[in-house]
Amino acid sequence: MPLQALRTIAKPQNGVGAFILQCKRIDLHYCDWAGSSKGMNDFLRTTLPAFAKQNPSIELSVSPRPGRHPVVKGLYINGQHKSICVRNMEPAEILRKVELLTAASGERLRRERRPVKSTNESVRGVWDPFHGHNYKI
Amino acid sequence: MRATRPLEQALRLTGSRPTAGPTPTYICLSCRARAAPPSSHRQLHTTVPRAADVPLYQRLKESLFGTKESVAAAKSREEKQAQRFTDLAERPRTSTDADDNEVARPLETKTDKHGRRYEIADIVDPAARSDYVQATTWQGLETVGSVEWVKKRADTGDVYAGFAPPDRSARLRGAQWEMLLRHVVVEAVVLRKAGRSAEQICWPREGSDSWSLTRGALLEYSSVGGLVATFSEAGAEKRLRNAIPKKLPEVQATQTPEDSGDQLREAIALAPPERPGNATPAWMAMPLQDPGLKLAIIKRILQITGRRLPDPVISKSPTLAHLYHALLAKPKPKRLAQTPQLKRLNINIPNATVHAGRQTPIHKDKEVGRWKVIENELINRGLPVTGSRYQGARIGVY
């Protein structure tokens, strides 16, 4: 029998060959007047420049939203977005939230029921009744 | 009517009946309640007591044609109205004033219970006056009670005239502030030496060459002698002293904005180069313990530049150097987008953008180039580009 190639194609997996950051844009909204935006204003003045330099692939947009709580909103490649209200937070806390948005993908948060997720088949094979223990009745 | 029957029955029972047999001693509660006076009745009677006396046909007649009293009152009102018309027609339409000139008869005035006087409008009988044409629209008629009418009658209060010129100090550098302060201090020192009040430097004066005179003065400060101004040109001090008015004019002419702008331009044009570092000249060590002198200097700076210093800053400035640094300090930006940190973020970092105003969906459409298509289509269909067509809608504002 001539050799036949496997009828499969390579499944793309982000990070195997190249890694594409899923977060493409982060919008930061603040307020000049509200007290809940104090931490956000300090974050924009002190911490954001360093973060922007470390993540040149993310577009950062800073704009005021007068009379509202400060919000950080991430936009992803799959078109979804995630918002986090950072009212009354310190700059360090806001940085953690921004890093959370950066590391996330646009997928919905869901509970994983199975402990292992893999595209590989079972190493020990799928069970069949013809191999293994012989039960004698 | 319905209530009378049980009432009659109750009364019959309780009343004396000489021909009947022995009177019953027991009376039930409901008969007693009905026999009791109406004020003690707890039940609501559906028939009005008065209506029981007046027959139905009479009540209907009164509701349709009115009672005798109301008919008589209406007739009397009509007669009085007619009498007023005839009285007005008989009264002369004009009267004569003190110079025997004919003037229109003034309207009758009355005073109400609150003491307010009001005029009674003239009654025009259309039947009597052939030239009277009843108005079909309200154009040209006197309106009472509108918003404009109330505003016209309302007391506008005192009209406030500001005293400070517009603040033009934002574009002054350190050397220019120093020159301005020097000019004001030289004038104050010259006046103090002549025994005059420092406040006089703020009095209105007509065109003078005091700027060129103060430029030629040398200021020296010592802890013993205080601040002294010496002039290289002979007679310059006297000319400067005479340029400052000794008396406040009766009709106080306020300095026009053009005057203060001219003075500021003169100061800016002749300022020396910037002094390196934060060092201040020696004469700025002069203490400002005299409140009159301090306030005169601050007021004169306000008149020339329009710059006002906050009261805490003034009270915490013991020397001229403190005042100089306070004038030099730029006001804090009111918005975060105006701060130097965010301005640097916008300029230096290519992946960061700082917007000064709120970003609307229209801004987002403009970024991707969709807005011009939407706008053209709305205009072609005759629809409002922003908002809706309610009264007072801001059309064309993004």
Side-chain angles (χ1 to χ4, degrees):
Chain A
M1 203 162 108
L3 186 68
Q4 284 193 346
L6 290 169
R7 291 175 188 272
T8 55
I9 53 169
K11 284 188 180 173
Q13 207 168 344
N14 196 18
V16 172
F19 174 67
I20 299 170
L21 190 68
Q22 295 297 296
C23 178
K24 61 179 181 179
R25 181 188 166 112
I26 292 181
D27 292 331
L28 300 118
H29 299 295
Y30 66 94
C31 176
D32 284 304
W33 167 83
S36 58
S37 192
K38 184 173 169 297
M40 176 61 145
N41 293 6
D42 292 338
F43 171 81
L44 293 173
R45 269 197 297 264
T46 56
T47 317
L48 186 67
F51 177 84
K53 275 190 188 155
Q54 285 163 10
N55 298 273
S57 62
I58 301 176
E59 184 190 349
L60 293 161
S61 166
V62 178
S63 61
R65 237 177 133 221
R68 308 275 185 162
H69 286 310
V71 168
V72 179
K73 186 174 172 181
L75 278 87
Y76 300 92
I77 288 174
N78 63 352
Q80 298 293 329
H81 63 88
K82 288 188 181 180
S83 309
I84 302 177
C85 177
V86 292
R87 64 177 189 214
N88 299 321
M89 284 190 191
E90 296 298 321
E93 288 177 275
I94 295 173
L95 179 63
R96 279 203 294 274
K97 296 298 180 192
V98 171
E99 283 169 352
L100 188 81
L101 287 177
T102 308
S105 69
E107 297 295 324
R108 279 177 57 195
L109 297 175
R110 51 173 74 94
R111 178 185 158 194
E112 285 294 338
R113 289 182 178 273
R114 296 175 194 282
V116 176
K117 202 171 179 181
S118 173
T119 51
N120 297 327
E121 290 177 1
S122 170
V123 172
R124 304 203 46 195
V126 182
W127 178 89
D128 65 76
F130 308 109
H131 302 93
H133 295 282
N134 293 322
Y135 291 100
K136 288 182 181 173
I137 300 168
Chain B
M1 281 296 186
R2 275 181 278 161
T4 55
R5 281 202 198 126
L7 187 57
E8 283 166 6
Q9 190 178 9
L11 284 171
R12 234 182 287 125
L13 289 170
T14 54
S16 59
R17 296 196 323 186
T19 55
T23 53
T25 55
Y26 175 72
I27 303 165
C28 72
L29 277 173
S30 70
C31 292
R32 278 193 208 165
R34 284 182 182 142
S39 58
S40 67
H41 285 174
R42 278 194 269 171
Q43 283 182 336
L44 178 67
H45 287 274
T46 55
T47 311
V48 176
R50 181 188 67 82
D53 304 327
V54 179
L56 176 66
Y57 78 93
Q58 193 165 349
R59 275 186 276 139
L60 278 172
K61 186 184 159 197
E62 280 175 8
S63 68
L64 287 170
F65 303 111
T67 58
K68 282 184 193 169
E69 293 84 10
S70 64
V71 166
K75 195 176 171 190
S76 128
R77 272 198 299 272
E78 279 175 17
E79 283 169 3
K80 279 184 188 168
Q81 180 88 340
Q83 184 62 35
R84 279 224 315 262
F85 277 135
T86 49
D87 286 346
L88 277 169
E90 282 163 11
R91 275 166 68 185
R93 301 218 55 88
T94 56
S95 61
T96 51
D97 62 359
D99 299 330
D100 285 336
N101 296 328
E102 258 194 12
V103 293
R105 186 190 66 223
L107 296 172
E108 192 183 338
T109 54
K110 277 191 179 175
T111 310
D112 67 357
K113 61 179 178 181
H114 297 295
R116 293 176 293 204
R117 293 185 67 80
Y118 61 93
E119 286 177 331
I120 298 174
D122 213 355
I123 297 171
V124 178
D125 187 7
R129 286 192 59 180
S130 57
D131 61 339
Y132 172 74
V133 178
Q134 197 174 21
T136 52
T137 61
W138 61 27
Q139 298 297 332
L141 294 179
E142 183 189 352
T143 55
V144 172
S146 62
V147 173
E148 288 79 18
W149 180 81
V150 170
K151 280 183 181 173
K152 221 190 288 183
R153 292 162 69 91
D155 179 21
T156 52
D158 295 325
V159 177
Y160 172 72
F163 62 90
D167 191 352
R168 289 193 202 87
S169 62
R171 50 200 169 101
L172 291 182
R173 294 174 291 122
Q176 289 158 352
W177 275 119
E178 184 186 325
M179 184 153 186
L180 191 67
L181 200 58
R182 193 172 172 285
H183 163 77
V184 172
V185 166
V186 165
E187 283 187 337
V189 163
V190 161
L191 285 184
R192 200 168 58 170
K193 190 177 169 185
R196 286 161 61 176
S197 165
E199 192 197 358
Q200 293 176 6
I201 60 172
C202 307
W203 288 355
R205 58 182 97 165
E206 293 184 359
S208 66
D209 57 347
S210 52
W211 284 92
S212 56
L213 293 169
T214 54
R215 218 174 300 126
L218 178 65
L219 277 173
E220 284 169 328
Y221 172 70
S222 66
S223 54
V224 175
L227 194 62
V228 172
T230 40
F231 292 81
S232 54
E233 198 183 320
E237 188 177 340
K238 190 180 175 185
R239 276 172 32 217
L240 180 64
R241 217 169 33 240
N242 292 338
I244 300 166
K246 288 179 188 171
K247 265 194 307 185
L248 198 62
E250 283 179 11
V251 177
Q252 290 204 22
T254 51
Q255 191 179 23
T256 58
E258 287 78 24
D259 298 340
S260 60
D262 292 338
Q263 293 179 32
L264 191 61
R265 256 177 259 123
E266 284 189 47
I268 289 170
L270 298 161
E274 288 289 330
R275 196 185 293 274
N278 285 342
T280 52
W283 56 268
M284 282 197 186
M286 178 187 131
L288 288 170
Q289 283 160 356
D290 180 15
L293 175 66
K294 192 188 217 179
L295 289 172
I297 293 170
I298 290 164
K299 186 176 174 181
R300 187 65 186 146
I301 290 170
L302 168 68
Q303 284 177 342
I304 295 172
T305 63
R307 175 75 177 269
R308 289 184 64 195
L309 288 175
D311 287 346
V313 169
I314 294 171
S315 59
K316 285 179 193 168
S317 301
T319 63
L320 276 171
H322 288 86
L323 266 187
Y324 168 72
H325 287 301
L327 289 166
L328 210 59
K330 283 183 187 169
K332 276 172 65 176
K334 290 183 182 172
R335 302 197 178 191
L336 186 67
Q338 295 165 354
T339 55
Q341 293 93 339
L342 259 71
K343 281 187 178 174
R344 259 182 267 128
L345 180 76
N346 202 15
I347 294 165
N348 297 342
I349 298 172
N351 59 319
T353 316
V354 176
H355 301 279
R358 190 176 75 91
Q359 294 300 291
T360 61
I362 292 176
H363 288 101
K364 286 170 192 159
D365 283 341
K366 280 184 181 173
E367 272 175 24
V368 295
R370 200 185 301 134
W371 177 247
K372 53 182 181 287
V373 178
I374 296 170
E375 193 182 8
N376 282 337
E377 205 56 40
L378 285 169
I379 291 168
N380 289 340
R381 294 179 194 204
L383 294 169
V385 173
T386 54
S388 57
R389 282 191 182 143
Y390 59 90
Q391 196 177 11
R394 294 169 72 201
I395 296 172
V397 176
Y398 302 144

